[in-house]
Amino acid sequence: MLLFFLYCVSIFSQTIIPDFYFMNGKIVFDTTSPYMRSNFTLLQTIHLYYDQLNGPFATIAFYNLAGNIILFIPFGFFIPLLFKRFRGWFKMHMVAFFIPLFIECTQHFIGRSIDVDDVLLNAIAIIIGFILFKALDRFRKNKKH
């Protein structure tokens, strides 16, 4: 439970805290319009990064795509592990949709950019984590018998 709590704190600290930078020893919050930096077209950012995987921004593209997936896999594993009522496919699909949606909506209200593709990638990651949980659970049950 402690590990999951620390994981949640680290994810939310990276996704919910407003964008800021330091200038002349002071913290300055980025106040540019989040709509100027937001994507509401499904697969637009994914295509942009995919096209750059062999380009000059390959590292940035890879880390953005892989990071949006890898960082959210633990949600799909920890939630059903810690909370038995979330061990069904339907409930975990709902979780996989609502956690990234909550993060993106919160980012909108605090002035950060939002991206519909982040919701998609994060949801896929949570389902991958859930599949890993199910596979490990099945392996554990088979080993008992």
Side-chain angles (χ1 to χ4, degrees), residues 16 99-111 114 119:
I16 303 299
I99 287 176
L101 187 63
F102 168 77
I103 290 170
E104 295 299 314
C105 287
T106 303
Q107 287 178 336
H108 167 73
F109 289 111
I110 63 171
I114 56 178
V119 174

Side-chain angles (χ1 to χ4, degrees), residues 7 29 41 71 108 127:
Y7 164 73
F29 288 99
T41 306
L71 290 176
H108 167 73
I127 296 303

Side-chain angles (χ1 to χ4, degrees), residues 2 18 24 40 46 135:
L2 178 63
N24 299 329
F40 299 99
I46 293 171

Side-chain angles (χ1 to χ4, degrees), residues 15-32:
T15 57
I16 303 299
I17 294 174
D19 288 337
F20 66 91
Y21 56 91
F22 293 98
M23 181 186 291
N24 299 329
K26 295 180 182 179
I27 297 176
V28 178
F29 288 99
D30 187 355
T31 57
T32 59

